[in-house]
Amino acid sequence: MTSDDKNTFAHRSVLLDSAVDYLVTDPQGRYIDGTFGRGGHSRLILDRLGDQGHLLGFDKDPEAIKAAESLAAEDARFSWFHGSFAEVALAMARRDWEQVDGVLLDLGVSSPQLDDPTRGFSFMRDGPLDMRMNPHQSPSAAEWLAQADEQDIANVIWRYGEERFSRRIARFVVERRQEAPIETTRQLAELVSEAVPKKEKHKHPATRTFQAIRIFINRELEDLEVCLSAVAERLAPGGRLVVISFHSLEDRLVKRFMRDLARGPKLPKGIPVTADQERSAFRLVGKASKAGDEEISDNVRARSAVMRVLERIDVNE
């Protein structure tokens, strides 16, 4: 596949306008797009920023970074960081940024990654079983499945995919790889279809397994936990964290994190506390938001999106 072919894979940002509406509260502020993708959210954020505003975009994917480089060449208010949003503290330190006014995380795999069969994310298109958001990092999904212990495979599929037939799928993987390596998305999808005895209506039997392996290979939940904690420490007063999740594991993690911060510190019963000690430095902004019918009809991937917003409070007010 040529680079021109790769450029045909477009990405439509979910909850685009509403996410940026919540995010940008100071046009002259500093902002982070933790999941640049192809720049859909970033370009709209830049449209809302003034001359002194700045946006820093993160992405693991080299193809996304090519798009980020092009945007940086067009707009001096934008810069990029090739790496995980879990490295937000490092990236900010390199720029001498102590605080930011907003961070946007649009989680999960992007449309170009799903649509490009050479990336190996989708069971709908046959290609090498890769699944790495950064193809220069190891291992690939195929490499991991070739050497992982049966119990480890089962644990990953259960933990990250909530697949009730995880042990059976893991057994099939170990038995099949003794005959020949599992190297393509089609091979894995067919294997899972054989292993799963009961099929869910309107859902491919490999859906949960592919999700689980992708999350594990890319350390998605671990990186998210690190990022959320780092961002909370570095939000300026009035600054906001906006997170768009696409499956229940992500959303539960984000919901719990934001809820606990908004509730404030848990102090032992019976110990006298002041009003300031009881007050949290954060608040939830609105309720969880979902895409409307019009957006879902235009982009089916929007149907599972959930957006949550957390704001740091100016305690001096």
Side-chain angles (χ1 to χ4, degrees):
M1 180 172 293
T2 67
S3 58
D4 288 340
D5 292 329
K6 288 181 181 290
N7 289 337
T8 64
F9 298 112
H11 178 71
R12 284 178 289 177
S13 299
V14 174
L15 293 164
L16 176 61
D17 292 291
S18 56
V20 177
D21 287 344
Y22 276 117
L23 181 73
V24 180
T25 56
D26 178 5
Q28 306 303 332
R30 292 171 172 171
Y31 293 87
I32 287 175
D33 181 351
T35 45
F36 178 79
R38 293 301 182 269
H41 283 115
S42 283
R43 290 182 183 278
L44 186 56
I45 293 168
L46 289 168
D47 285 345
R48 307 283 181 87
L49 295 186
D51 293 342
Q52 301 304 310
H54 195 88
L55 174 64
L56 172 61
F58 284 68
D59 213 290
K60 299 177 182 179
D61 193 327
E63 293 298 319
I65 292 302
K66 289 180 183 178
E69 289 174 336
S70 296
L71 182 56
E74 299 170 11
D75 196 326
R77 300 172 302 163
F78 177 78
S79 59
W80 53 269
F81 181 88
H82 185 195
S84 169
F85 51 51
E87 300 173 275
V88 63
L90 170 64
M92 287 179 60
R94 287 180 177 176
R95 289 161 176 77
D96 293 323
W97 288 10
E98 293 184 3
Q99 294 182 319
V100 289
D101 298 285
V103 176
L104 172 65
L105 303 178
D106 181 10
L107 303 176
V109 64
S110 70
S111 297
Q113 290 167 333
L114 281 171
D115 294 339
D116 184 352
T118 68
R119 302 301 300 274
F121 284 100
S122 175
F123 48 78
M124 301 300 292
R125 297 170 176 82
D126 192 27
L129 188 59
D130 194 312
M131 295 195 192
R132 291 172 293 180
M133 292 180 179
N134 183 350
H136 301 303
Q137 295 180 338
S138 293
S140 68
E143 290 168 341
W144 179 70
L145 284 176
Q147 54 80 34
D149 179 79
E150 180 178 332
Q151 186 61 51
D152 290 340
I153 296 172
N155 288 343
V156 163
I157 296 173
W158 169 251
R159 179 181 178 188
Y160 298 118
E162 299 179 316
E163 170 58 69
R164 59 177 174 152
F165 299 110
S166 58
R167 292 181 181 178
R168 183 177 170 89
I169 294 168
R171 187 170 72 251
F172 270 57
V173 167
V174 172
E175 291 174 351
R176 189 66 53 84
R177 75 187 185 190
Q178 292 174 350
E179 302 170 4
I182 303 168
E183 298 178 331
T184 70
T185 54
R186 178 175 294 169
Q187 286 175 324
L188 180 59
E190 291 177 349
L191 180 153
V192 175
S193 293
E194 293 176 25
V196 174
K198 295 181 180 179
K199 309 295 191 287
E200 294 181 59
K201 194 173 183 180
H202 306 307
K203 193 166 192 174
H204 193 287
T207 299
R208 297 180 187 277
T209 297
F210 269 68
Q211 171 189 296
I213 295 173
R214 187 205 83 216
I215 291 173
F216 171 76
I217 289 294
N218 294 288
R219 292 180 50 84
E220 293 179 39
L221 295 186
E222 291 86 350
D223 280 7
L224 178 58
E225 287 184 300
V226 171
C227 179
L228 292 175
S229 296
V231 166
E233 294 174 2
R234 291 165 176 80
L235 272 183
R240 289 178 172 179
L241 169 63
V242 180
V243 185
I244 303 172
S245 305
F246 287 85
H247 61 73
S248 59
L249 291 174
E250 292 172 339
D251 186 52
R252 283 201 297 266
L253 193 160
V254 172
K255 179 181 179 181
R256 188 180 306 117
F257 177 83
M258 291 185 174
R259 178 199 63 201
D260 290 349
L261 278 184
R263 284 178 176 173
K266 292 182 178 179
L267 301 173
K269 291 182 178 180
I271 295 181
V273 295
T274 66
D276 287 341
Q277 287 175 313
E278 289 182 326
R279 185 183 181 188
S280 170
F282 298 89
R283 73 179 184 95
L284 300 176
V285 180
K287 297 181 179 180
S289 304
K290 295 187 177 183
D293 293 338
E294 184 176 345
E295 182 173 4
I296 293 172
S297 65
D298 183 56
N299 180 9
V300 68
R301 289 172 182 160
R303 66 187 175 194
S304 58
V306 179
M307 181 172 66
R308 298 183 186 275
V309 184
L310 181 76
E311 180 180 279
R312 188 177 193 97
I313 299 170
D314 188 346
V315 293
N316 294 320
E317 289 185 349

